[in-house]
Amino acid sequence: CAGADVSALDRGGVEVVAFVRTPTKLDDMLNPHLHLVQGDFSSLAPAHLNGCDVTIATHSSSKHERHVGYEHLVRSAVEAGVSRLIGVGGAGQLLMEDGQIKQTDPSWFPALSSVTEDHQRGLARVRGSTLHWTWVAPPYMPTDAASAGGYLATNDAWNNTGMLPQVDVAQFIVDETFEPKHLGHVVGLSARQPK
């Protein structure tokens, strides 16, 4: 629900509600088990989430206001009786060995500090809710790159990642939806290394 990756439909026996600004972008994915709702988080209501078990938020914001979307989503999800949320932030949120987030490392990208701060505000709202949650903190995600052959996941810790194709990040989200293994964690993702 609410931004779910439609590849979840490949698992069968599932209904997906995709809350999107431009439904026509999903015309090539139409499926009787995919229900499109047009809108943004300001128009999200608990009724949109009725019957959902998990909500997945992959939204963005050009004004660094993802946290506002999480505020609306958490409030609606709790009221609708949703039990679980999977949110997405960024690798700058992962913890280094000294306990500080990666964004504070001088070698990190200073231009991303406002993005990481926005992610941190969103995560704080999710953490403060009654929802069971998993927070994905992926690295740079090229949208057009082929799968790297899978992903490796670490709980809370920076894992020296550089890049992971978006398709592998989406696979993690779908896997976590069906078999939650990282509840209550900020998950770092990196490419699976060839054997």
Side-chain angles (χ1 to χ4, degrees):
C1 293
D5 185 308
V6 292
S7 67
L9 292 167
D10 295 340
R11 303 276 178 119
V14 70
E15 298 288 319
V16 174
V17 177
F19 200 77
V20 296
R21 287 183 292 251
T22 313
T24 55
K25 288 184 178 181
L26 298 180
D27 281 351
D28 61 335
M29 299 178 182
L30 294 180
N31 180 306
H33 301 286
L34 172 62
H35 311 280
L36 299 177
V37 178
Q38 184 172 4
D40 60 25
F41 279 114
S42 66
S43 59
L44 178 67
H48 292 117
L49 302 176
N50 282 341
C52 292
D53 298 315
V54 180
T55 184
I56 302 167
T58 61
H59 63 286
S60 64
S61 170
S62 60
K63 299 177 182 179
H64 308 301
E65 294 180 347
R66 284 184 180 103
H67 66 284
V68 175
Y70 280 107
E71 178 73 34
H72 290 289
L73 178 58
V74 165
R75 188 174 35 252
S76 293
V78 168
E79 191 173 323
V82 175
S83 62
R84 210 156 44 96
L85 181 142
I86 298 174
V88 178
Q93 294 183 274
L94 295 167
L95 296 176
M96 299 181 298
E97 288 184 18
D98 66 2
Q100 298 295 313
I101 63 170
K102 183 64 179 173
Q103 182 65 50
T104 63
D105 185 328
S107 70
W108 194 245
F109 308 98
L112 294 178
S113 63
S114 57
V115 174
T116 300
E117 290 169 12
D118 185 29
H119 288 158
Q120 287 292 94
R121 288 192 296 270
L123 176 59
R125 181 59 184 110
V126 170
R127 275 186 168 144
S129 76
T130 58
L131 297 168
H132 299 285
W133 58 271
T134 302
W135 191 268
V136 187
Y140 167 62
M141 300 181 297
T143 59
D144 56 352
S147 173
Y151 59 82
L152 294 174
T154 58
N155 286 340
D156 307 306
W158 170 250
N159 56 12
N160 293 317
T161 189
M163 180 276 288
L164 185 65
Q166 193 175 59
V167 66
D168 293 326
V169 176
Q171 187 60 58
F172 170 82
I173 292 170
V174 172
D175 291 347
E176 184 70 9
T177 299
F178 288 92
E179 294 181 40
K181 296 179 181 177
H182 304 276
L183 291 174
H185 291 283
V186 177
V187 181
L189 296 176
S190 60
R192 183 176 299 283
Q193 300 300 315
K195 293 181 181 183

